[in-house]
Amino acid sequence: MILSRLLSFVFRGLEFVCAIIILGLGGHFIWRMNRDGPGPRGRLIYTEVVATFAALLSLIWLVPFTWTFLHYPMDIILSLAFFASFGALFDWIHINGLNCSGIFGVWNWDGNSHNNYCAEWKTLEAFTFMSGVFWLISAFLSIHVFHRVRGRNSPKAITAA
């Protein structure tokens, strides 16, 4: 049980860090769009809302008590929300026609730098995907702990002892 609480604490901390990074990068893109013109406002606002809920919930559930393992349906929902956000962000860069090819997406083949737009966008995509994975791992850990603890207190386990 100590290992599961330690792992839960580590993954909740990673979820919080990813959510804060996503909030910062997403806010930067929203600011940039207000300054420079049109962009994927709806996709970024969705990402910001999901990251806000994730930051709040991961901070609350960072406390390593057994009751924090009971929220695995919300872990699954947030994981799916982050994967949907990743898909929306990934799809926009190709629909827009911005060519982010080359080494790590920083340089276009024509030699122009897009003012680090591609690198920042791909960083936002990466942290969105990693956050979804961390929430999914937390869900699996919570399911494992929840069913293991529930199995100990079942009537079959009590009569067998």
Side-chain angles (χ1 to χ4, degrees):
M1 192 68 159
I2 292 173
L3 180 63
S4 61
R5 287 184 182 178
L6 178 66
L7 286 173
S8 175
F9 182 76
V10 166
F11 283 114
R12 296 291 182 199
L14 289 172
E15 292 162 2
F16 180 73
V17 168
C18 282
I20 296 300
I21 291 171
I22 291 167
L23 284 171
L25 284 171
H28 175 73
F29 277 111
I30 290 173
W31 171 79
R32 183 181 273 181
M33 281 185 297
N34 286 337
R35 186 190 65 176
D36 295 340
R41 282 190 175 85
R43 297 167 196 248
L44 283 171
I45 290 172
Y46 171 76
T47 303
E48 291 286 300
V49 169
V50 171
T52 301
F53 281 123
L56 178 66
L57 291 177
S58 64
L59 192 61
I60 291 171
W61 295 338
L62 196 61
V63 181
F65 291 118
T66 305
W67 60 268
T68 60
F69 293 108
L70 301 176
H71 305 289
Y72 65 86
M74 194 62 185
D75 290 341
I76 293 171
I77 289 170
L78 276 171
S79 175
L80 293 175
F82 272 115
F83 287 138
S85 177
F86 168 74
L89 293 174
F90 184 78
D91 191 43
W92 182 81
I93 203 81
H94 300 294
I95 290 173
N96 189 36
L98 184 64
N99 189 4
C100 287
S101 62
I103 301 173
F104 303 112
V106 177
W107 295 97
N108 191 352
W109 290 114
D110 61 3
N112 293 329
S113 172
H114 295 288
N115 203 9
N116 288 332
Y117 186 87
C118 290
E120 292 173 9
W121 189 264
K122 288 193 178 211
T123 303
L124 179 63
E125 288 176 353
F127 276 102
T128 305
F129 183 79
M130 287 188 321
S131 187
V133 169
F134 291 147
W135 281 99
L136 193 61
I137 291 171
S138 289
F140 288 145
L141 178 66
S142 297
I143 289 170
H144 172 71
V145 170
F146 178 73
H147 289 292
R148 187 179 64 181
V149 169
R150 191 177 76 163
R152 286 186 194 162
N153 297 330
S154 69
K156 286 196 301 189
I158 294 172
T159 57

